[in-house]
Amino acid sequence: MNLLIRHTHLATLAQPAGYGELHDAALLVRDGRIAWLGAEQDIPAGQGELEEVDGQGGWLTPGLIDCHTHLVFGGDRSHEFELRLNGASYEEIARAGGGIRSSVAATRAASEDELLAQALRRLDGMLREGLTTVEVKSGYGLDFDSERKMLRVARRLGQQRRVGVQATYLAAHALPPEFQGRPDDYIDACIAWLKPLAEEGLIDAVDAFCEQIGFSRDQVARLFQAAEALGLPVKLHAEQLSDSGGALLTAQHDGLSADHLEWLDEQTIAAMAQHGTVAVLLPIAFYCLRETKLPPIAALRAAGVPMAVSTDCNPGTAPASSPLLALNMACTLFRLTPAEALAGMTRHAAQALGLQQQTGTLEIGKRADLALWQINRPAELCYWLGGEPLLGRWVGGRYAA
């Protein structure tokens, strides 16, 4: 059944600035794609049988896109939350065997069905806040079987729920205990696992953690070269704790995105602008780690680098599954405008996943991934903490919430 949503206002997010507002508007969907949008009084005649939805005078936006999550993992790390509050740093916890390694042990021990059940609970919270596409990383397995298990769960999430899922291979997330002192050998293993997992259809992109407690620029470069040889796009956790040169490397490889970026420098900002690499901002991790060094928002804005916003949902540094909270924190902590933040979780998030031709804006021909909100103006999505503003969600034109 084709779809007509009327008696609504549209925030198309299709323009370089602002919301792209259309008041007293309607939107028509045919075969899962946006076929027409405009003023209610101009709805084309002769559309045949349609399912009509009354937008109740609310706002229709592109469905939200969370372009950086670690949604699949076993266990939790609430004890590390206490350690940080008692003065331990992120690096101290990691070097003592906590952090990512703690989640690795729990993830390896969990079955695929157990991981799926846990991840669905987190995902369902996101869907209630208008999410229509989510990126899910591996990286808590750190061996072939466990990484494969995580990627299979990511694919199953898209089968269990009406949501688009992009699966990212993040085996180069931390050094597992069995490779202690042998990071180059572990990168060799990550490269060896890449091809069979890609041939199984489990990988949409390749990521790594480039940092003093992660992997060096040269090690990441070898992984990127292997990914590119298989036709896989790359992205990177970069410049979170220090200036390690990872974001520059990502731009030089035409990477989809560089994420975190608190220690980003001017040279790298220029390179990201030149290569179209999206800056993914992760304000919830910034908040949870009580960081004080802000990403260079003004410089990114001035250079025209697209800025995406994401939850970074993970058990250690961003235990949150609320896209709307991430929007609020992007504004309150990073000083994005509400229009920039909403673009960051729609248009620019789609670009960070290489999906900008398919979704992320309300434009004719794009997939009808839609969220209908009971709000008076789009800025309310960044303003309220709590509440349930979502009236409805559609993925590919099919009602999903």
Side-chain angles (χ1 to χ4, degrees):
M1 181 72 70
N2 294 316
L3 173 69
L4 176 66
I5 302 175
R6 59 192 310 168
H7 188 212
T8 187
H9 310 294
L10 305 183
T12 68
L13 278 301
Q15 306 303 319
Y19 299 108
E21 299 178 33
L22 291 174
H23 292 266
D24 302 314
L27 181 142
L28 177 67
V29 176
R30 285 199 174 280
D31 299 322
R33 296 191 174 272
I34 299 170
W36 175 88
L37 67 165
E40 171 119 10
Q41 64 186 21
D42 297 329
I43 295 173
Q47 295 300 319
E49 189 177 1
L50 290 170
E51 176 189 357
E52 287 198 16
V53 172
D54 182 352
Q56 304 178 39
W59 281 83
L60 189 68
T61 72
L64 300 186
I65 299 171
D66 199 339
C67 64
H68 180 130
T69 85
H70 305 256
L71 197 60
V72 176
F73 58 85
D76 72 59
R77 281 153 51 190
S78 57
H79 64 290
E80 294 178 16
F81 176 69
E82 288 188 291
L83 289 174
R84 286 199 302 273
L85 290 174
N86 283 292
S89 72
Y90 180 74
E91 291 195 39
E92 288 170 343
I93 292 170
R95 293 188 187 282
I100 294 168
R101 286 189 180 184
S102 173
S103 292
V104 169
T107 302
R108 287 180 174 182
S111 71
E112 187 174 310
D113 286 343
E114 288 170 338
L115 292 175
L116 177 65
Q118 294 171 32
L120 282 171
R121 289 196 293 271
R122 301 171 198 122
L123 178 60
D124 284 343
M126 295 175 162
L127 301 185
R128 287 191 292 269
E129 295 191 356
L131 192 77
T132 54
T133 300
V134 64
E135 184 254 22
V136 180
K137 302 180 189 293
S138 68
Y140 292 126
L142 308 190
D143 61 37
F144 179 82
D145 289 339
S146 300
E147 288 291 300
R148 181 176 180 268
K149 177 173 63 175
M150 292 185 69
L151 292 166
R152 283 174 52 86
V153 171
R155 289 288 187 241
R156 289 178 66 186
L157 290 173
Q159 298 163 3
Q160 295 280 325
R161 296 292 186 268
R162 195 161 290 168
V163 63
V165 175
Q166 293 290 110
T168 296
Y169 176 69
L170 181 59
H173 195 195
L175 194 64
E178 58 268 30
F179 281 88
Q180 185 66 40
R182 298 186 293 127
D184 286 317
D185 289 344
Y186 182 62
I187 291 295
D188 288 341
C190 293
I191 291 170
W193 304 335
L194 185 55
K195 185 175 180 180
L197 293 173
E199 289 176 342
E200 198 172 334
L202 295 176
I203 300 176
D204 296 309
V206 174
D207 195 352
F209 182 33
C210 186
E211 192 53 73
Q212 294 173 2
I213 59 172
F215 297 94
S216 72
R217 192 176 186 276
D218 289 344
Q219 289 162 346
V220 171
R222 290 202 290 123
L223 179 65
F224 278 7
Q225 290 162 6
E228 290 169 339
L230 295 172
L232 293 169
V234 299
K235 57 179 65 178
L236 192 66
H237 288 61
E239 274 66 76
Q240 180 184 11
L241 306 173
S242 64
D243 184 358
S244 300
L248 179 59
L249 173 71
T250 306
Q252 291 169 341
H253 282 263
D254 295 317
L256 292 174
S257 72
D259 305 23
H260 285 290
L261 304 179
E262 282 84 346
W263 292 83
L264 195 64
D265 63 24
E266 292 282 350
Q267 177 191 3
T268 303
I269 291 171
M272 291 175 67
Q274 178 184 353
H275 291 269
T277 299
V278 176
V280 177
L281 307 176
L282 305 172
I284 297 177
F286 179 91
Y287 165 80
C288 288
L289 289 172
R290 295 186 293 175
E291 294 287 357
T292 57
K293 185 173 179 60
L294 291 162
I297 302 298
L300 289 164
R301 184 185 289 131
V305 175
M307 292 182 286
V309 175
S310 175
T311 64
D312 191 19
C313 176
N314 76 74
T317 62
S321 56
S322 172
L324 297 182
L325 176 62
L327 288 178
N328 177 277
M329 287 189 171
C331 296
T332 56
L333 298 178
F334 291 171
R335 302 297 190 267
L336 266 63
T337 68
E340 287 175 325
L342 191 53
M345 202 168 269
T346 54
R347 183 174 76 249
H348 295 154
Q351 185 176 345
L353 297 177
L355 300 177
Q356 63 269 34
Q357 301 304 316
Q358 302 177 44
T359 190
T361 60
L362 303 185
E363 295 182 271
I364 292 173
K366 289 202 173 178
R367 192 169 63 227
D369 295 344
L370 314 170
L372 180 63
W373 309 93
Q374 192 171 26
I375 55 176
N376 294 313
R377 53 196 307 267
E380 287 187 42
L381 297 177
C382 304
Y383 167 66
W384 282 105
L385 292 173
E388 297 180 351
L390 186 70
L391 288 172
R393 190 176 66 91
W394 290 262
V395 177
R398 300 179 65 191
Y399 185 71

